[in-house]
Amino acid sequence: EAWPAQLPVFVRISAVDCPVLILHGTQDDIVHPFHGEELYLRCPNPVTPLFIDGGGHCDLATYFAYYLRLYQFIHYDLPCAS
């Protein structure tokens, strides 16, 4: 497969059986947003991801959407939440 598919995280994600939340900034200049999208597609048990428009690599915690999505994940997406 092509380079991104060879990254260990893309191979190992198939073994993760708990719910997975992908959080990624669209302006991340360290890890391209494509990687977050690809990880989401390969994940066996993903929940709705959050791609923060304008978010970078280390500033997602400055966006309200980040906290809202984490709250939703903890209180609604996790099996123990129901």
Side-chain angles (χ1 to χ4, degrees):
E1 288 187 72
W3 167 75
Q6 296 173 354
L7 291 174
V9 68
F10 291 125
V11 175
R12 295 183 181 143
I13 193 65
S14 64
V16 177
D17 60 358
C18 64
V20 174
L21 171 61
I22 304 293
L23 301 166
H24 209 108
T26 61
Q27 298 300 313
D28 189 329
D29 59 353
I30 306 296
V31 178
H32 194 277
F34 165 80
H35 292 113
E37 296 165 6
E38 187 67 22
L39 196 57
Y40 171 73
L41 294 173
R42 291 173 180 257
C43 186
N45 193 15
V47 299
T48 303
L50 175 63
F51 292 91
I52 297 180
D53 188 33
H57 189 71
C58 295
D59 67 349
L60 298 185
T62 65
Y63 292 85
F64 178 74
Y66 171 84
Y67 293 100
L68 179 59
R69 186 63 191 100
L70 282 177
Y71 179 88
Q72 293 168 337
F73 178 68
I74 293 166
H75 293 281
Y76 300 107
D77 295 331
L78 294 177
C80 61
S82 50

